[in-house]
PDB file of all heavy atoms in Angstrom:
ATOM      1  N   ASN A  11       1.601 -10.368 -23.890  1.00  0.00           N
ATOM      2  CA  ASN A  11       0.797  -9.280 -23.331  1.00  0.00           C
ATOM      3  C   ASN A  11      -0.602  -9.335 -23.682  1.00  0.00           C
ATOM      4  O   ASN A  11      -1.524  -9.101 -22.863  1.00  0.00           O
ATOM      5  CB  ASN A  11       1.464  -7.955 -23.736  1.00  0.00           C
ATOM      6  CG  ASN A  11       2.798  -7.663 -23.066  1.00  0.00           C
ATOM      7  OD1 ASN A  11       3.241  -8.398 -22.199  1.00  0.00           O
ATOM      8  ND2 ASN A  11       3.567  -6.726 -23.610  1.00  0.00           N
ATOM      9  N   ALA A  12      -0.921  -9.684 -24.935  1.00  0.00           N
ATOM     10  CA  ALA A  12      -2.228  -9.830 -25.410  1.00  0.00           C
ATOM     11  C   ALA A  12      -2.973 -11.005 -24.677  1.00  0.00           C
ATOM     12  O   ALA A  12      -4.101 -10.907 -24.171  1.00  0.00           O
ATOM     13  CB  ALA A  12      -2.357 -10.024 -26.899  1.00  0.00           C
ATOM     14  N   ASP A  13      -2.226 -12.124 -24.474  1.00  0.00           N
ATOM     15  CA  ASP A  13      -2.733 -13.274 -23.753  1.00  0.00           C
ATOM     16  C   ASP A  13      -3.016 -12.868 -22.336  1.00  0.00           C
ATOM     17  O   ASP A  13      -4.137 -13.270 -21.730  1.00  0.00           O
ATOM     18  CB  ASP A  13      -1.751 -14.412 -23.816  1.00  0.00           C
ATOM     19  CG  ASP A  13      -1.583 -15.086 -25.091  1.00  0.00           C
ATOM     20  OD1 ASP A  13      -2.518 -14.807 -25.984  1.00  0.00           O
ATOM     21  OD2 ASP A  13      -0.606 -15.850 -25.285  1.00  0.00           O
ATOM     22  N   LEU A  14      -2.253 -12.013 -21.684  1.00  0.00           N
ATOM     23  CA  LEU A  14      -2.458 -11.614 -20.324  1.00  0.00           C
ATOM     24  C   LEU A  14      -3.755 -10.835 -20.116  1.00  0.00           C
ATOM     25  O   LEU A  14      -4.529 -11.203 -19.238  1.00  0.00           O
ATOM     26  CB  LEU A  14      -1.219 -10.747 -19.888  1.00  0.00           C
ATOM     27  CG  LEU A  14      -1.371 -10.097 -18.537  1.00  0.00           C
ATOM     28  CD1 LEU A  14      -1.381 -11.132 -17.403  1.00  0.00           C
ATOM     29  CD2 LEU A  14      -0.340  -8.936 -18.329  1.00  0.00           C
ATOM     30  N   VAL A  15      -4.035  -9.874 -20.965  1.00  0.00           N
ATOM     31  CA  VAL A  15      -5.251  -9.201 -20.816  1.00  0.00           C
ATOM     32  C   VAL A  15      -6.562  -9.852 -21.331  1.00  0.00           C
ATOM     33  O   VAL A  15      -7.602  -9.539 -20.903  1.00  0.00           O
ATOM     34  CB  VAL A  15      -5.130  -7.796 -21.557  1.00  0.00           C
ATOM     35  CG1 VAL A  15      -3.898  -6.991 -21.070  1.00  0.00           C
ATOM     36  CG2 VAL A  15      -5.055  -7.935 -23.099  1.00  0.00           C
ATOM     37  N   LYS A  16      -6.310 -10.911 -22.095  1.00  0.00           N
ATOM     38  CA  LYS A  16      -7.488 -11.620 -22.599  1.00  0.00           C
ATOM     39  C   LYS A  16      -7.905 -12.689 -21.588  1.00  0.00           C
ATOM     40  O   LYS A  16      -9.011 -13.239 -21.662  1.00  0.00           O
ATOM     41  CB  LYS A  16      -7.165 -12.284 -23.942  1.00  0.00           C
ATOM     42  CG  LYS A  16      -7.123 -11.293 -25.123  1.00  0.00           C
ATOM     43  CD  LYS A  16      -7.043 -12.072 -26.509  1.00  0.00           C
ATOM     44  CE  LYS A  16      -5.707 -12.623 -26.724  1.00  0.00           C
ATOM     45  NZ  LYS A  16      -5.529 -13.239 -28.103  1.00  0.00           N
ATOM     46  N   ALA A  17      -6.959 -13.059 -20.779  1.00  0.00           N
ATOM     47  CA  ALA A  17      -7.234 -14.244 -19.828  1.00  0.00           C
ATOM     48  C   ALA A  17      -8.207 -13.898 -18.725  1.00  0.00           C
ATOM     49  O   ALA A  17      -9.019 -14.736 -18.392  1.00  0.00           O
ATOM     50  CB  ALA A  17      -5.914 -14.657 -19.189  1.00  0.00           C
ATOM     51  N   GLN A  18      -8.237 -12.725 -18.156  1.00  0.00           N
ATOM     52  CA  GLN A  18      -9.074 -12.288 -17.140  1.00  0.00           C
ATOM     53  C   GLN A  18      -9.082 -10.848 -16.903  1.00  0.00           C
ATOM     54  O   GLN A  18      -8.131 -10.135 -17.403  1.00  0.00           O
ATOM     55  CB  GLN A  18      -8.719 -13.012 -15.859  1.00  0.00           C
ATOM     56  CG  GLN A  18      -7.358 -12.591 -15.303  1.00  0.00           C
ATOM     57  CD  GLN A  18      -7.073 -13.098 -13.867  1.00  0.00           C
ATOM     58  OE1 GLN A  18      -7.098 -14.310 -13.650  1.00  0.00           O
ATOM     59  NE2 GLN A  18      -6.835 -12.147 -12.942  1.00  0.00           N
ATOM     60  N   PRO A  19      -9.982 -10.217 -16.165  1.00  0.00           N
ATOM     61  CA  PRO A  19      -9.914  -8.829 -15.848  1.00  0.00           C
ATOM     62  C   PRO A  19      -8.652  -8.665 -14.952  1.00  0.00           C
ATOM     63  O   PRO A  19      -8.251  -9.619 -14.192  1.00  0.00           O
ATOM     64  CB  PRO A  19     -11.191  -8.507 -15.002  1.00  0.00           C
ATOM     65  CG  PRO A  19     -12.140  -9.618 -15.481  1.00  0.00           C
ATOM     66  CD  PRO A  19     -11.264 -10.857 -15.740  1.00  0.00           C
ATOM     67  N   LEU A  20      -8.038  -7.531 -15.059  1.00  0.00           N
ATOM     68  CA  LEU A  20      -6.814  -7.231 -14.247  1.00  0.00           C
ATOM     69  C   LEU A  20      -6.914  -6.086 -13.316  1.00  0.00           C
ATOM     70  O   LEU A  20      -7.631  -5.048 -13.645  1.00  0.00           O
ATOM     71  CB  LEU A  20      -5.669  -6.901 -15.241  1.00  0.00           C
ATOM     72  CG  LEU A  20      -5.119  -8.103 -16.083  1.00  0.00           C
ATOM     73  CD1 LEU A  20      -4.090  -7.481 -17.047  1.00  0.00           C
ATOM     74  CD2 LEU A  20      -4.507  -9.256 -15.266  1.00  0.00           C
ATOM     75  N   VAL A  21      -6.234  -6.198 -12.182  1.00  0.00           N
ATOM     76  CA  VAL A  21      -6.115  -5.104 -11.154  1.00  0.00           C
ATOM     77  C   VAL A  21      -4.591  -4.829 -11.080  1.00  0.00           C
ATOM     78  O   VAL A  21      -3.856  -5.790 -10.819  1.00  0.00           O
ATOM     79  CB  VAL A  21      -6.707  -5.409  -9.830  1.00  0.00           C
ATOM     80  CG1 VAL A  21      -6.539  -4.206  -8.879  1.00  0.00           C
ATOM     81  CG2 VAL A  21      -8.176  -5.721  -9.942  1.00  0.00           C
ATOM     82  N   ALA A  22      -4.139  -3.606 -11.354  1.00  0.00           N
ATOM     83  CA  ALA A  22      -2.728  -3.288 -11.365  1.00  0.00           C
ATOM     84  C   ALA A  22      -2.465  -2.078 -10.537  1.00  0.00           C
ATOM     85  O   ALA A  22      -3.308  -1.116 -10.474  1.00  0.00           O
ATOM     86  CB  ALA A  22      -2.186  -3.102 -12.810  1.00  0.00           C
ATOM     87  N   VAL A  23      -1.285  -2.058  -9.855  1.00  0.00           N
ATOM     88  CA  VAL A  23      -0.863  -0.912  -9.072  1.00  0.00           C
ATOM     89  C   VAL A  23       0.516  -0.457  -9.598  1.00  0.00           C
ATOM     90  O   VAL A  23       1.383  -1.337  -9.672  1.00  0.00           O
ATOM     91  CB  VAL A  23      -0.749  -1.147  -7.548  1.00  0.00           C
ATOM     92  CG1 VAL A  23      -0.187   0.027  -6.843  1.00  0.00           C
ATOM     93  CG2 VAL A  23      -2.102  -1.634  -7.032  1.00  0.00           C
ATOM     94  N   PHE A  24       0.640   0.851 -10.048  1.00  0.00           N
ATOM     95  CA  PHE A  24       1.879   1.299 -10.500  1.00  0.00           C
ATOM     96  C   PHE A  24       2.391   2.417  -9.502  1.00  0.00           C
ATOM     97  O   PHE A  24       1.690   3.484  -9.397  1.00  0.00           O
ATOM     98  CB  PHE A  24       1.796   1.864 -11.894  1.00  0.00           C
ATOM     99  CG  PHE A  24       1.668   0.876 -12.965  1.00  0.00           C
ATOM    100  CD1 PHE A  24       0.420   0.198 -13.210  1.00  0.00           C
ATOM    101  CD2 PHE A  24       2.742   0.471 -13.699  1.00  0.00           C
ATOM    102  CE1 PHE A  24       0.331  -0.763 -14.170  1.00  0.00           C
ATOM    103  CE2 PHE A  24       2.663  -0.502 -14.654  1.00  0.00           C
ATOM    104  CZ  PHE A  24       1.512  -1.149 -14.898  1.00  0.00           C
ATOM    105  N   VAL A  25       3.480   2.175  -8.870  1.00  0.00           N
ATOM    106  CA  VAL A  25       4.068   3.116  -7.923  1.00  0.00           C
ATOM    107  C   VAL A  25       5.205   3.899  -8.584  1.00  0.00           C
ATOM    108  O   VAL A  25       6.094   3.260  -9.159  1.00  0.00           O
ATOM    109  CB  VAL A  25       4.507   2.441  -6.638  1.00  0.00           C
ATOM    110  CG1 VAL A  25       4.943   3.493  -5.595  1.00  0.00           C
ATOM    111  CG2 VAL A  25       3.474   1.517  -6.082  1.00  0.00           C
ATOM    112  N   GLY A  26       5.100   5.221  -8.644  1.00  0.00           N
ATOM    113  CA  GLY A  26       5.967   6.006  -9.423  1.00  0.00           C
ATOM    114  C   GLY A  26       5.493   6.019 -10.877  1.00  0.00           C
ATOM    115  O   GLY A  26       6.268   6.139 -11.862  1.00  0.00           O
ATOM    116  N   GLY A  27       4.140   5.936 -11.068  1.00  0.00           N
ATOM    117  CA  GLY A  27       3.627   5.830 -12.426  1.00  0.00           C
ATOM    118  C   GLY A  27       3.258   7.129 -13.075  1.00  0.00           C
ATOM    119  O   GLY A  27       2.594   7.100 -14.160  1.00  0.00           O
ATOM    120  N   THR A  28       3.620   8.254 -12.523  1.00  0.00           N
ATOM    121  CA  THR A  28       3.211   9.503 -13.150  1.00  0.00           C
ATOM    122  C   THR A  28       4.258   9.985 -14.145  1.00  0.00           C
ATOM    123  O   THR A  28       4.170  10.987 -14.830  1.00  0.00           O
ATOM    124  CB  THR A  28       3.099  10.673 -12.111  1.00  0.00           C
ATOM    125  OG1 THR A  28       4.224  10.723 -11.258  1.00  0.00           O
ATOM    126  CG2 THR A  28       1.859  10.277 -11.183  1.00  0.00           C
ATOM    127  N   SER A  29       5.348   9.228 -14.305  1.00  0.00           N
ATOM    128  CA  SER A  29       6.419   9.593 -15.293  1.00  0.00           C
ATOM    129  C   SER A  29       7.316   8.413 -15.506  1.00  0.00           C
ATOM    130  O   SER A  29       7.236   7.429 -14.837  1.00  0.00           O
ATOM    131  CB  SER A  29       7.350  10.789 -14.692  1.00  0.00           C
ATOM    132  OG  SER A  29       8.018  10.399 -13.551  1.00  0.00           O
ATOM    133  N   GLY A  30       8.260   8.577 -16.537  1.00  0.00           N
ATOM    134  CA  GLY A  30       9.191   7.551 -16.816  1.00  0.00           C
ATOM    135  C   GLY A  30       8.744   6.212 -17.174  1.00  0.00           C
ATOM    136  O   GLY A  30       7.673   6.022 -17.849  1.00  0.00           O
TER     137      GLY A  30
END
Side-chain angles (χ1 to χ4, degrees):
N11 289 349
D13 289 345
L14 173 68
V15 302
K16 287 187 289 188
Q18 67 169 58
L20 290 176
V21 179
V23 176
F24 285 82
V25 185
T28 56
S29 64

